[in-house]
Amino acid sequence: MIRFLAILLITFGSYISHAFAQQKILKEAVERAKGDGFSGVILVAENGKVLYKEVMGMRIYEKRILLHEDDIFELASLSKQFTAMMIMMCKEKGLLDFDDQVSKYVEIPYPKITIRNLLTHTSGLPDYQAIMDAHWDKSKVDGNTEILEYLREYAPVKSFDPGEQYEYSNTGYVLLASIVEKATGKDFVELMREWIFQPLKMKSTDIRSLEEKAKVQTFAAGHLKDENGNFVNANTFHSSDYTVWLGERKGPGRVSSNAADLLKWDQALNTEKLVSKETMEEAFTPFRLNNERRSYYGFGWEIEPKSPFGKMVMHTGDNPGYKTIIVRFIEEDKTIIILNNNAHPDMMRLVEAATLSLGKW
């Protein structure tokens, strides 16, 4: 996870009384990003009202198709907050408890891991992608069933005992999606549509296969620079191959959406449309490790208790060609959403500028 609050806390006080200066900082940062070739959508909102929105760059560089504000991006690990919500909804329906053993739902060779450990990245599970990369026939596409099968077959050593420390784990979120399927008896993708996307009218949001993404005209392709310094589709690089042969995995990624739908999601989290306020509060509570120290990752969210605007929760995403982030200052209902489709290195500067701009409009 990328932390930027140290910089903000130093610079925030210098601009807090200068509203126009703060907004100027954001506009200047956007203009600088444009000049540096940033491609993406920036949205800043307060109380669900859009204060600032900017779109720049290309949906498809090779065809010189301009990006539009409603274009759809791969969210990468922002998907984890949706997976966590599915678990939270299952809990409220009485289908599971956060402190249930994972082995109650799926067979894995690692005892004493709880659902809460998976949600908070405190399980110590080994990296599933490394296991599949070493042993999987990459001419085939795998999903959760095959990942679980290989975890059982090869059983690589876990990093630490459950609850001992925090270590970001995509494996844990694969297991969470499989637990949802076991607890409900339904397909995870279909259930997420039924429980989250459709009720919130997130019409541009889905978990799409490669074939389905190809049919969406407004899908913003991820881009990386080739040896000549030109942006080309990220899927042409060998390093991106895993997005194909891991193309059916569920849980840690694969949700695609746009800025408008993510604002709907953001605002729904302030209500009880999906789960109770008590459950949301638990999702935004730091995990207490076995040594009583706190780990500041909740249920699909990184947590910062003391930001310039009170409690903040955020998450980043990183897929070949994509960088994404959502920042929520939940006490003041301020939101920053940035979706980038050319892996631009300056995204966090835009987040810092957007945060400063929220001081006063």
Side-chain angles (χ1 to χ4, degrees):
M1 288 296 162
I2 302 172
R3 288 190 175 274
F4 60 96
L5 280 177
I7 298 172
L8 287 178
L9 290 170
I10 293 171
T11 58
F12 191 79
S14 302
Y15 300 100
I16 190 68
S17 61
H18 306 288
F20 291 111
Q22 290 162 241
Q23 294 169 37
K24 184 180 178 182
I25 288 170
L26 174 57
K27 292 173 182 177
E28 288 178 347
V30 168
E31 288 304 311
R32 186 166 54 249
K34 282 183 181 179
D36 291 341
F38 184 93
S39 180
V41 176
I42 303 164
L43 184 150
V44 181
E46 184 173 16
N47 298 318
K49 178 184 176 182
V50 176
L51 301 177
Y52 182 89
K53 183 187 285 186
E54 186 75 33
V55 57
M56 63 194 92
M58 296 285 171
R59 179 192 296 165
I60 302 175
Y61 275 84
E62 294 92 332
K63 297 181 180 180
R64 307 303 296 170
I65 299 176
L66 292 174
L67 196 65
H68 293 268
E69 66 178 44
D70 292 325
D71 282 356
I72 296 168
F73 292 70
E74 197 71 65
L75 297 186
S77 284
L78 262 66
S79 306
K80 289 181 173 64
Q81 57 204 241
F82 295 100
T83 300
M85 178 58 75
M86 295 293 287
I87 289 286
M88 292 154 64
M89 295 177 82
C90 283
K91 194 264 187 184
E92 290 210 342
K93 295 175 186 295
L95 300 173
L96 54 79
D97 286 308
F98 297 142
D99 294 311
D100 284 346
Q101 298 280 314
V102 172
S103 57
K104 180 178 178 181
Y105 303 92
V106 295
E107 182 187 348
I108 56 171
Y110 308 101
K112 300 182 180 179
I113 295 174
T114 67
I115 291 175
R116 191 183 300 273
N117 291 139
L118 301 183
L119 288 165
T120 58
H121 299 295
T122 57
S123 66
L125 285 166
D127 178 24
Y128 82 88
Q129 189 169 327
I131 300 161
M132 303 307 288
D133 190 30
H135 303 288
W136 180 251
D137 176 358
K138 297 180 184 63
S139 66
K140 302 176 182 177
V141 178
D142 72 350
N144 289 30
T145 299
E146 292 79 14
I147 290 169
L148 286 169
E149 177 186 330
Y150 274 52
L151 276 174
R152 290 190 292 267
E153 181 176 352
Y154 294 99
V157 177
K158 64 181 186 296
S159 300
F160 51 84
D161 289 332
E164 286 294 313
Q165 63 187 68
Y166 165 91
E167 183 178 87
Y168 193 79
S169 173
N170 285 309
T171 307
Y173 273 73
V174 169
L175 294 183
L176 287 171
S178 295
I179 288 170
V180 169
E181 292 188 330
K182 181 66 175 180
T184 63
K186 296 183 178 181
D187 176 71
F188 181 77
V189 175
E190 292 297 329
L191 204 59
M192 191 175 284
R193 292 167 181 162
E194 179 184 336
W195 283 9
I196 300 179
F197 302 152
Q198 292 169 6
L200 299 186
K201 296 181 171 56
M202 298 174 69
K203 296 180 180 179
S204 296
T205 309
D206 205 351
I207 299 176
R208 298 172 168 94
S209 66
L210 291 173
E211 292 76 19
E212 288 169 332
K213 285 190 287 187
K215 295 176 182 178
V216 178
Q217 185 178 356
T218 57
F219 207 99
H223 297 87
L224 295 170
K225 284 186 177 181
D226 64 13
E227 65 274 10
N228 299 316
N230 299 316
F231 282 114
V232 299
N233 193 301
N235 289 336
T236 62
F237 291 84
H238 177 65
S239 59
S240 304
D241 288 352
Y242 74 90
T243 62
V244 177
W245 54 265
L246 287 172
E248 296 298 324
R249 69 201 185 285
K250 307 169 190 176
R254 289 189 59 221
V255 175
S256 50
S257 186
N258 62 12
D261 269 10
L262 286 177
L263 186 59
K264 291 179 182 178
W265 163 249
D266 162 72
Q267 288 300 289
L269 298 180
N270 296 329
T271 72
E272 297 188 287
K273 291 180 179 179
L274 300 177
V275 293
S276 67
K277 290 182 180 179
E278 290 77 14
T279 298
M280 283 308 309
E281 182 62 29
E282 192 166 3
F284 298 150
T285 300
F287 179 83
R288 196 173 292 276
L289 298 168
N290 296 344
N291 62 7
E292 296 301 316
R293 294 183 64 181
R294 292 182 178 180
S295 173
Y296 287 91
Y297 192 102
F299 298 172
W301 294 91
E302 187 177 4
I303 304 164
E304 175 53 62
K306 296 180 181 180
S307 81
F309 304 112
K311 192 172 188 178
M312 181 201 78
V313 295
M314 63 170 284
H315 213 289
T316 57
D318 193 340
N319 256 29
Y322 295 99
K323 288 186 180 293
T324 59
I325 190 168
I326 180 170
V327 182
R328 304 183 65 241
F329 299 98
I330 56 180
E331 293 176 12
E332 296 198 14
D333 195 8
K334 300 174 187 285
T335 310
I336 300 167
I337 297 165
I338 301 181
L339 306 175
N340 166 248
N341 70 323
N342 67 344
H344 202 278
D346 288 341
M347 188 177 75
M348 295 312 295
R349 292 183 185 177
L350 290 169
V351 177
E352 292 162 8
T355 302
L356 288 168
S357 79
L358 280 168
K360 187 176 181 181
W361 282 79

